[in-house]
Amino acid sequence: MFDVDDFIAECRTALASDPSHKLMREVVARAVSSPAAVLKGLGEPTRAEVQKLYHAKDLTILNVIWGPMMTVMPHNHQMWAVIGIYSGREDNIFWRRRVDDGGRIEAAGARELCVGDAEPLGHNIIHSVTNPIPRLTGAIHVYGGDFFGAERSEWDSESLTEGRFDAERAMRRFEEANATMRA
Ligand SMILES: [Fe+2]
């Protein structure tokens, strides 16, 4: 049985004894090791959306439902994160700043995430995310800070140049995915 309040309490306990993402990864890994229980606890995904499960200055917990074949542009978080997949798939491309070209980024690596995977992302990570399958993907995202309050960057998908993170545009991407899904 996955209980949201119990999970939040476990995350708070992990953070209290370890400010890094090490213990948090174990908490998230334990949760997504029973994906059917998480599906039951959070509910079967029905639409692309970001559900805020918990939000504090030092910890944010989200239930992120990616739309079919949905991609979000490269962005940073300015805090560590742990991503745990309980339904579907998520592909991450990792980027780094180019030393020769101020602000632009280049691809540095990739990681496929499948059901049951719990991936830690470092404080300075820049990533873009794709749901590569034609159905919804469900993931628990835990961030070691105030995900909505942090000053962050995103990089234009075409020019790969840096700009200020636009939260409203990011949320619109989920509604566009829903519109595509309905069409
Ligand atoms: Fe992200």
Side-chain angles (χ1 to χ4, degrees):
M1 182 64 198
F2 177 86
D3 180 84
V4 175
D5 291 332
D6 289 348
F7 180 73
I8 293 166
E10 277 181 62
C11 290
R12 288 250 46 121
T13 303
L15 188 66
S17 53
D18 177 12
S20 83
H21 54 47
K22 194 167 171 287
L23 275 183
M24 197 64 73
R25 203 205 78 85
E26 290 174 20
V27 171
V28 175
R30 200 157 50 236
V32 297
S33 69
S34 304
V38 177
L39 271 172
K40 212 168 169 192
L42 293 178
E44 194 82 36
T46 57
R47 62 193 303 281
E49 63 183 322
V50 175
Q51 293 175 358
K52 208 183 287 181
L53 301 180
Y54 180 82
H55 182 212
K57 259 193 147 57
D58 59 349
L59 183 68
T60 306
I61 306 174
L62 307 177
N63 179 25
V64 179
I65 314 291
W66 300 114
M69 315 302 285
M70 178 180 172
T71 295
V72 293
M73 61 207 287
H75 61 272
N76 62 11
H77 304 134
Q78 305 286 46
M79 63 191 73
W80 58 251
V82 179
I83 298 173
I85 310 293
Y86 64 88
S87 179
R89 284 256 300 106
E90 185 182 296
D91 281 332
N92 279 245
I93 296 175
F94 298 109
W95 305 82
R96 64 179 164 234
R97 291 172 189 276
R98 287 168 56 144
V99 285
D100 58 331
D101 195 349
R104 279 187 72 190
I105 50 171
E106 60 188 2
R111 173 86 159 90
E112 80 295 345
L113 298 179
C114 304
V115 170
D117 286 339
E119 174 82 354
L121 305 180
H123 184 277
N124 294 321
I125 210 83
I126 302 169
H127 75 154
S128 55
V129 183
T130 294
N131 170 11
I133 60 172
R135 59 188 173 83
L136 296 167
T137 283
I140 297 171
H141 289 216
V142 180
Y143 300 89
D146 177 2
F147 181 76
F148 298 99
E151 188 66 34
R152 305 196 275 130
S153 292
E154 62 190 4
W155 283 261
D156 183 79
S157 294
E158 195 162 346
S159 65
L160 295 179
T161 51
E162 185 170 7
R164 195 171 172 201
F165 181 75
D166 183 340
E168 272 177 35
R169 179 167 57 191
M171 289 304 118
R172 264 202 315 274
R173 288 285 302 111
F174 286 84
E175 291 315 319
E176 286 164 12
N178 287 321
T180 304
M181 207 162 49
R182 282 192 297 270

mmCIF file with all atom_site columns, all heavy atoms in Angstrom, residues 108-129:
data_model
loop_
_atom_site.group_PDB
_atom_site.id
_atom_site.type_symbol
_atom_site.label_atom_id
_atom_site.label_alt_id
_atom_site.label_comp_id
_atom_site.label_asym_id
_atom_site.label_entity_id
_atom_site.label_seq_id
_atom_site.pdbx_PDB_ins_code
_atom_site.Cartn_x
_atom_site.Cartn_y
_atom_site.Cartn_z
_atom_site.occupancy
_atom_site.B_iso_or_equiv
_atom_site.pdbx_formal_charge
_atom_site.auth_seq_id
_atom_site.auth_comp_id
_atom_site.auth_asym_id
_atom_site.auth_atom_id
_atom_site.pdbx_PDB_model_num
ATOM 1   N N   . ALA A 1 108 ? 25.422 15.911 -23.216 1.00 0.00 ? 108 ALA A N   1
ATOM 2   C CA  . ALA A 1 108 ? 26.520 15.295 -22.471 1.00 0.00 ? 108 ALA A CA  1
ATOM 3   C C   . ALA A 1 108 ? 26.252 13.841 -22.124 1.00 0.00 ? 108 ALA A C   1
ATOM 4   O O   . ALA A 1 108 ? 27.162 13.118 -21.722 1.00 0.00 ? 108 ALA A O   1
ATOM 5   C CB  . ALA A 1 108 ? 26.781 16.094 -21.196 1.00 0.00 ? 108 ALA A CB  1
ATOM 6   N N   . GLY A 1 109 ? 25.029 13.397 -22.274 1.00 0.00 ? 109 GLY A N   1
ATOM 7   C CA  . GLY A 1 109 ? 24.712 12.016 -21.909 1.00 0.00 ? 109 GLY A CA  1
ATOM 8   C C   . GLY A 1 109 ? 23.211 11.801 -21.911 1.00 0.00 ? 109 GLY A C   1
ATOM 9   O O   . GLY A 1 109 ? 22.450 12.726 -22.176 1.00 0.00 ? 109 GLY A O   1
ATOM 10  N N   . ALA A 1 110 ? 22.816 10.599 -21.628 1.00 0.00 ? 110 ALA A N   1
ATOM 11  C CA  . ALA A 1 110 ? 21.390 10.264 -21.622 1.00 0.00 ? 110 ALA A CA  1
ATOM 12  C C   . ALA A 1 110 ? 21.148 9.121  -20.656 1.00 0.00 ? 110 ALA A C   1
ATOM 13  O O   . ALA A 1 110 ? 22.071 8.379  -20.296 1.00 0.00 ? 110 ALA A O   1
ATOM 14  C CB  . ALA A 1 110 ? 20.929 9.882  -23.022 1.00 0.00 ? 110 ALA A CB  1
ATOM 15  N N   . ARG A 1 111 ? 19.918 9.013  -20.218 1.00 0.00 ? 111 ARG A N   1
ATOM 16  C CA  . ARG A 1 111 ? 19.578 7.932  -19.303 1.00 0.00 ? 111 ARG A CA  1
ATOM 17  C C   . ARG A 1 111 ? 18.127 7.534  -19.551 1.00 0.00 ? 111 ARG A C   1
ATOM 18  O O   . ARG A 1 111 ? 17.234 8.385  -19.530 1.00 0.00 ? 111 ARG A O   1
ATOM 19  C CB  . ARG A 1 111 ? 19.766 8.402  -17.860 1.00 0.00 ? 111 ARG A CB  1
ATOM 20  C CG  . ARG A 1 111 ? 19.294 7.420  -16.805 1.00 0.00 ? 111 ARG A CG  1
ATOM 21  C CD  . ARG A 1 111 ? 20.370 6.404  -16.457 1.00 0.00 ? 111 ARG A CD  1
ATOM 22  N NE  . ARG A 1 111 ? 20.114 5.803  -15.165 1.00 0.00 ? 111 ARG A NE  1
ATOM 23  C CZ  . ARG A 1 111 ? 19.381 4.691  -14.988 1.00 0.00 ? 111 ARG A CZ  1
ATOM 24  N NH1 . ARG A 1 111 ? 18.851 4.069  -16.022 1.00 0.00 ? 111 ARG A NH1 1
ATOM 25  N NH2 . ARG A 1 111 ? 19.184 4.217  -13.771 1.00 0.00 ? 111 ARG A NH2 1
ATOM 26  N N   . GLU A 1 112 ? 17.922 6.244  -19.808 1.00 0.00 ? 112 GLU A N   1
ATOM 27  C CA  . GLU A 1 112 ? 16.561 5.740  -19.960 1.00 0.00 ? 112 GLU A CA  1
ATOM 28  C C   . GLU A 1 112 ? 16.025 5.344  -18.594 1.00 0.00 ? 112 GLU A C   1
ATOM 29  O O   . GLU A 1 112 ? 16.733 4.714  -17.804 1.00 0.00 ? 112 GLU A O   1
ATOM 30  C CB  . GLU A 1 112 ? 16.552 4.560  -20.941 1.00 0.00 ? 112 GLU A CB  1
ATOM 31  C CG  . GLU A 1 112 ? 16.993 3.217  -20.376 1.00 0.00 ? 112 GLU A CG  1
ATOM 32  C CD  . GLU A 1 112 ? 18.458 3.161  -19.928 1.00 0.00 ? 112 GLU A CD  1
ATOM 33  O OE1 . GLU A 1 112 ? 19.251 4.033  -20.285 1.00 0.00 ? 112 GLU A OE1 1
ATOM 34  O OE2 . GLU A 1 112 ? 18.791 2.213  -19.189 1.00 0.00 ? 112 GLU A OE2 1
ATOM 35  N N   . LEU A 1 113 ? 14.831 5.770  -18.304 1.00 0.00 ? 113 LEU A N   1
ATOM 36  C CA  . LEU A 1 113 ? 14.220 5.414  -17.024 1.00 0.00 ? 113 LEU A CA  1
ATOM 37  C C   . LEU A 1 113 ? 12.989 4.557  -17.290 1.00 0.00 ? 113 LEU A C   1
ATOM 38  O O   . LEU A 1 113 ? 12.135 4.928  -18.095 1.00 0.00 ? 113 LEU A O   1
ATOM 39  C CB  . LEU A 1 113 ? 13.830 6.665  -16.238 1.00 0.00 ? 113 LEU A CB  1
ATOM 40  C CG  . LEU A 1 113 ? 14.982 7.603  -15.850 1.00 0.00 ? 113 LEU A CG  1
ATOM 41  C CD1 . LEU A 1 113 ? 14.455 8.807  -15.096 1.00 0.00 ? 113 LEU A CD1 1
ATOM 42  C CD2 . LEU A 1 113 ? 16.025 6.869  -15.032 1.00 0.00 ? 113 LEU A CD2 1
ATOM 43  N N   . CYS A 1 114 ? 12.939 3.430  -16.610 1.00 0.00 ? 114 CYS A N   1
ATOM 44  C CA  . CYS A 1 114 ? 11.835 2.493  -16.763 1.00 0.00 ? 114 CYS A CA  1
ATOM 45  C C   . CYS A 1 114 ? 11.117 2.362  -15.423 1.00 0.00 ? 114 CYS A C   1
ATOM 46  O O   . CYS A 1 114 ? 11.607 2.831  -14.393 1.00 0.00 ? 114 CYS A O   1
ATOM 47  C CB  . CYS A 1 114 ? 12.358 1.120  -17.202 1.00 0.00 ? 114 CYS A CB  1
ATOM 48  S SG  . CYS A 1 114 ? 13.339 1.167  -18.709 1.00 0.00 ? 114 CYS A SG  1
ATOM 49  N N   . VAL A 1 115 ? 9.976  1.697  -15.442 1.00 0.00 ? 115 VAL A N   1
ATOM 50  C CA  . VAL A 1 115 ? 9.227  1.466  -14.206 1.00 0.00 ? 115 VAL A CA  1
ATOM 51  C C   . VAL A 1 115 ? 10.141 0.820  -13.167 1.00 0.00 ? 115 VAL A C   1
ATOM 52  O O   . VAL A 1 115 ? 10.844 -0.153 -13.457 1.00 0.00 ? 115 VAL A O   1
ATOM 53  C CB  . VAL A 1 115 ? 7.993  0.577  -14.470 1.00 0.00 ? 115 VAL A CB  1
ATOM 54  C CG1 . VAL A 1 115 ? 7.347  0.128  -13.159 1.00 0.00 ? 115 VAL A CG1 1
ATOM 55  C CG2 . VAL A 1 115 ? 6.984  1.341  -15.314 1.00 0.00 ? 115 VAL A CG2 1
ATOM 56  N N   . GLY A 1 116 ? 10.156 1.389  -11.975 1.00 0.00 ? 116 GLY A N   1
ATOM 57  C CA  . GLY A 1 116 ? 10.982 0.860  -10.890 1.00 0.00 ? 116 GLY A CA  1
ATOM 58  C C   . GLY A 1 116 ? 12.297 1.593  -10.729 1.00 0.00 ? 116 GLY A C   1
ATOM 59  O O   . GLY A 1 116 ? 12.970 1.435  -9.708  1.00 0.00 ? 116 GLY A O   1
ATOM 60  N N   . ASP A 1 117 ? 12.690 2.384  -11.733 1.00 0.00 ? 117 ASP A N   1
ATOM 61  C CA  . ASP A 1 117 ? 13.953 3.131  -11.632 1.00 0.00 ? 117 ASP A CA  1
ATOM 62  C C   . ASP A 1 117 ? 13.790 4.363  -10.752 1.00 0.00 ? 117 ASP A C   1
ATOM 63  O O   . ASP A 1 117 ? 12.752 5.038  -10.794 1.00 0.00 ? 117 ASP A O   1
ATOM 64  C CB  . ASP A 1 117 ? 14.447 3.577  -13.021 1.00 0.00 ? 117 ASP A CB  1
ATOM 65  C CG  . ASP A 1 117 ? 15.023 2.425  -13.829 1.00 0.00 ? 117 ASP A CG  1
ATOM 66  O OD1 . ASP A 1 117 ? 15.403 1.406  -13.217 1.00 0.00 ? 117 ASP A OD1 1
ATOM 67  O OD2 . ASP A 1 117 ? 15.091 2.547  -15.063 1.00 0.00 ? 117 ASP A OD2 1
ATOM 68  N N   . ALA A 1 118 ? 14.812 4.668  -9.968  1.00 0.00 ? 118 ALA A N   1
ATOM 69  C CA  . ALA A 1 118 ? 14.848 5.895  -9.166  1.00 0.00 ? 118 ALA A CA  1
ATOM 70  C C   . ALA A 1 118 ? 16.188 6.555  -9.427  1.00 0.00 ? 118 ALA A C   1
ATOM 71  O O   . ALA A 1 118 ? 17.228 6.057  -9.000  1.00 0.00 ? 118 ALA A O   1
ATOM 72  C CB  . ALA A 1 118 ? 14.678 5.582  -7.683  1.00 0.00 ? 118 ALA A CB  1
ATOM 73  N N   . GLU A 1 119 ? 16.158 7.671  -10.158 1.00 0.00 ? 119 GLU A N   1
ATOM 74  C CA  . GLU A 1 119 ? 17.391 8.315  -10.632 1.00 0.00 ? 119 GLU A CA  1
ATOM 75  C C   . GLU A 1 119 ? 17.658 9.607  -9.869  1.00 0.00 ? 119 GLU A C   1
ATOM 76  O O   . GLU A 1 119 ? 16.807 10.493 -9.825  1.00 0.00 ? 119 GLU A O   1
ATOM 77  C CB  . GLU A 1 119 ? 17.224 8.615  -12.144 1.00 0.00 ? 119 GLU A CB  1
ATOM 78  C CG  . GLU A 1 119 ? 18.349 9.406  -12.760 1.00 0.00 ? 119 GLU A CG  1
ATOM 79  C CD  . GLU A 1 119 ? 19.553 8.533  -13.128 1.00 0.00 ? 119 GLU A CD  1
ATOM 80  O OE1 . GLU A 1 119 ? 19.544 7.329  -12.794 1.00 0.00 ? 119 GLU A OE1 1
ATOM 81  O OE2 . GLU A 1 119 ? 20.493 9.074  -13.733 1.00 0.00 ? 119 GLU A OE2 1
ATOM 82  N N   . PRO A 1 120 ? 18.853 9.709  -9.257  1.00 0.00 ? 120 PRO A N   1
ATOM 83  C CA  . PRO A 1 120 ? 19.193 10.974 -8.612  1.00 0.00 ? 120 PRO A CA  1
ATOM 84  C C   . PRO A 1 120 ? 19.779 11.959 -9.624  1.00 0.00 ? 120 PRO A C   1
ATOM 85  O O   . PRO A 1 120 ? 20.534 11.562 -10.520 1.00 0.00 ? 120 PRO A O   1
ATOM 86  C CB  . PRO A 1 120 ? 20.249 10.551 -7.590  1.00 0.00 ? 120 PRO A CB  1
ATOM 87  C CG  . PRO A 1 120 ? 20.878 9.330  -8.165  1.00 0.00 ? 120 PRO A CG  1
ATOM 88  C CD  . PRO A 1 120 ? 19.897 8.686  -9.095  1.00 0.00 ? 120 PRO A CD  1
ATOM 89  N N   . LEU A 1 121 ? 19.412 13.212 -9.504  1.00 0.00 ? 121 LEU A N   1
ATOM 90  C CA  . LEU A 1 121 ? 19.956 14.276 -10.356 1.00 0.00 ? 121 LEU A CA  1
ATOM 91  C C   . LEU A 1 121 ? 20.660 15.287 -9.458  1.00 0.00 ? 121 LEU A C   1
ATOM 92  O O   . LEU A 1 121 ? 20.074 15.760 -8.485  1.00 0.00 ? 121 LEU A O   1
ATOM 93  C CB  . LEU A 1 121 ? 18.844 14.993 -11.136 1.00 0.00 ? 121 LEU A CB  1
ATOM 94  C CG  . LEU A 1 121 ? 17.903 14.157 -12.012 1.00 0.00 ? 121 LEU A CG  1
ATOM 95  C CD1 . LEU A 1 121 ? 16.889 15.062 -12.700 1.00 0.00 ? 121 LEU A CD1 1
ATOM 96  C CD2 . LEU A 1 121 ? 18.683 13.373 -13.059 1.00 0.00 ? 121 LEU A CD2 1
ATOM 97  N N   . GLY A 1 122 ? 21.895 15.614 -9.802  1.00 0.00 ? 122 GLY A N   1
ATOM 98  C CA  . GLY A 1 122 ? 22.684 16.533 -8.988  1.00 0.00 ? 122 GLY A CA  1
ATOM 99  C C   . GLY A 1 122 ? 22.169 17.964 -9.059  1.00 0.00 ? 122 GLY A C   1
ATOM 100 O O   . GLY A 1 122 ? 21.367 18.330 -9.926  1.00 0.00 ? 122 GLY A O   1
ATOM 101 N N   . HIS A 1 123 ? 22.677 18.768 -8.155  1.00 0.00 ? 123 HIS A N   1
ATOM 102 C CA  . HIS A 1 123 ? 22.262 20.164 -7.987  1.00 0.00 ? 123 HIS A CA  1
ATOM 103 C C   . HIS A 1 123 ? 22.388 20.970 -9.279  1.00 0.00 ? 123 HIS A C   1
ATOM 104 O O   . HIS A 1 123 ? 21.543 21.810 -9.590  1.00 0.00 ? 123 HIS A O   1
ATOM 105 C CB  . HIS A 1 123 ? 23.136 20.768 -6.870  1.00 0.00 ? 123 HIS A CB  1
ATOM 106 C CG  . HIS A 1 123 ? 22.786 22.165 -6.505  1.00 0.00 ? 123 HIS A CG  1
ATOM 107 N ND1 . HIS A 1 123 ? 23.248 23.260 -7.201  1.00 0.00 ? 123 HIS A ND1 1
ATOM 108 C CD2 . HIS A 1 123 ? 22.012 22.659 -5.516  1.00 0.00 ? 123 HIS A CD2 1
ATOM 109 C CE1 . HIS A 1 123 ? 22.771 24.360 -6.638  1.00 0.00 ? 123 HIS A CE1 1
ATOM 110 N NE2 . HIS A 1 123 ? 22.027 24.017 -5.617  1.00 0.00 ? 123 HIS A NE2 1
ATOM 111 N N   . ASN A 1 124 ? 23.437 20.702 -10.052 1.00 0.00 ? 124 ASN A N   1
ATOM 112 C CA  . ASN A 1 124 ? 23.729 21.537 -11.224 1.00 0.00 ? 124 ASN A CA  1
ATOM 113 C C   . ASN A 1 124 ? 23.241 20.950 -12.545 1.00 0.00 ? 124 ASN A C   1
ATOM 114 O O   . ASN A 1 124 ? 23.551 21.475 -13.608 1.00 0.00 ? 124 ASN A O   1
ATOM 115 C CB  . ASN A 1 124 ? 25.245 21.762 -11.331 1.00 0.00 ? 124 ASN A CB  1
ATOM 116 C CG  . ASN A 1 124 ? 25.762 22.595 -10.176 1.00 0.00 ? 124 ASN A CG  1
ATOM 117 O OD1 . ASN A 1 124 ? 25.104 23.537 -9.749  1.00 0.00 ? 124 ASN A OD1 1
ATOM 118 N ND2 . ASN A 1 124 ? 26.927 22.243 -9.654  1.00 0.00 ? 124 ASN A ND2 1
ATOM 119 N N   . ILE A 1 125 ? 22.495 19.870 -12.467 1.00 0.00 ? 125 ILE A N   1
ATOM 120 C CA  . ILE A 1 125 ? 22.130 19.160 -13.690 1.00 0.00 ? 125 ILE A CA  1
ATOM 121 C C   . ILE A 1 125 ? 21.259 20.032 -14.617 1.00 0.00 ? 125 ILE A C   1
ATOM 122 O O   . ILE A 1 125 ? 20.446 20.828 -14.159 1.00 0.00 ? 125 ILE A O   1
ATOM 123 C CB  . ILE A 1 125 ? 21.390 17.835 -13.330 1.00 0.00 ? 125 ILE A CB  1
ATOM 124 C CG1 . ILE A 1 125 ? 21.639 16.774 -14.378 1.00 0.00 ? 125 ILE A CG1 1
ATOM 125 C CG2 . ILE A 1 125 ? 19.892 18.045 -13.187 1.00 0.00 ? 125 ILE A CG2 1
ATOM 126 C CD1 . ILE A 1 125 ? 22.919 16.052 -14.170 1.00 0.00 ? 125 ILE A CD1 1
ATOM 127 N N   . ILE A 1 126 ? 21.518 19.889 -15.929 1.00 0.00 ? 126 ILE A N   1
ATOM 128 C CA  . ILE A 1 126 ? 20.628 20.450 -16.950 1.00 0.00 ? 126 ILE A CA  1
ATOM 129 C C   . ILE A 1 126 ? 20.079 19.256 -17.712 1.00 0.00 ? 126 ILE A C   1
ATOM 130 O O   . ILE A 1 126 ? 20.855 18.418 -18.185 1.00 0.00 ? 126 ILE A O   1
ATOM 131 C CB  . ILE A 1 126 ? 21.388 21.381 -17.926 1.00 0.00 ? 126 ILE A CB  1
ATOM 132 C CG1 . ILE A 1 126 ? 22.061 22.530 -17.167 1.00 0.00 ? 126 ILE A CG1 1
ATOM 133 C CG2 . ILE A 1 126 ? 20.450 21.917 -19.005 1.00 0.00 ? 126 ILE A CG2 1
ATOM 134 C CD1 . ILE A 1 126 ? 23.050 23.327 -18.030 1.00 0.00 ? 126 ILE A CD1 1
ATOM 135 N N   . HIS A 1 127 ? 18.754 19.136 -17.800 1.00 0.00 ? 127 HIS A N   1
ATOM 136 C CA  . HIS A 1 127 ? 18.217 17.999 -18.547 1.00 0.00 ? 127 HIS A CA  1
ATOM 137 C C   . HIS A 1 127 ? 16.981 18.383 -19.350 1.00 0.00 ? 127 HIS A C   1
ATOM 138 O O   . HIS A 1 127 ? 16.332 19.393 -19.077 1.00 0.00 ? 127 HIS A O   1
ATOM 139 C CB  . HIS A 1 127 ? 17.929 16.802 -17.611 1.00 0.00 ? 127 HIS A CB  1
ATOM 140 C CG  . HIS A 1 127 ? 16.702 16.937 -16.761 1.00 0.00 ? 127 HIS A CG  1
ATOM 141 N ND1 . HIS A 1 127 ? 15.996 15.848 -16.292 1.00 0.00 ? 127 HIS A ND1 1
ATOM 142 C CD2 . HIS A 1 127 ? 16.049 18.025 -16.298 1.00 0.00 ? 127 HIS A CD2 1
ATOM 143 C CE1 . HIS A 1 127 ? 14.971 16.264 -15.575 1.00 0.00 ? 127 HIS A CE1 1
ATOM 144 N NE2 . HIS A 1 127 ? 14.974 17.569 -15.551 1.00 0.00 ? 127 HIS A NE2 1
ATOM 145 N N   . SER A 1 128 ? 16.701 17.572 -20.369 1.00 0.00 ? 128 SER A N   1
ATOM 146 C CA  . SER A 1 128 ? 15.412 17.634 -21.045 1.00 0.00 ? 128 SER A CA  1
ATOM 147 C C   . SER A 1 128 ? 14.801 16.248 -20.905 1.00 0.00 ? 128 SER A C   1
ATOM 148 O O   . SER A 1 128 ? 15.513 15.261 -20.714 1.00 0.00 ? 128 SER A O   1
ATOM 149 C CB  . SER A 1 128 ? 15.576 18.028 -22.520 1.00 0.00 ? 128 SER A CB  1
ATOM 150 O OG  . SER A 1 128 ? 16.468 17.163 -23.183 1.00 0.00 ? 128 SER A OG  1
ATOM 151 N N   . VAL A 1 129 ? 13.478 16.204 -20.954 1.00 0.00 ? 129 VAL A N   1
ATOM 152 C CA  . VAL A 1 129 ? 12.776 14.952 -20.682 1.00 0.00 ? 129 VAL A CA  1
ATOM 153 C C   . VAL A 1 129 ? 11.809 14.656 -21.816 1.00 0.00 ? 129 VAL A C   1
ATOM 154 O O   . VAL A 1 129 ? 11.102 15.542 -22.285 1.00 0.00 ? 129 VAL A O   1
ATOM 155 C CB  . VAL A 1 129 ? 12.000 15.033 -19.350 1.00 0.00 ? 129 VAL A CB  1
ATOM 156 C CG1 . VAL A 1 129 ? 11.320 13.705 -19.040 1.00 0.00 ? 129 VAL A CG1 1
ATOM 157 C CG2 . VAL A 1 129 ? 12.911 15.445 -18.207 1.00 0.00 ? 129 VAL A CG2 1
#
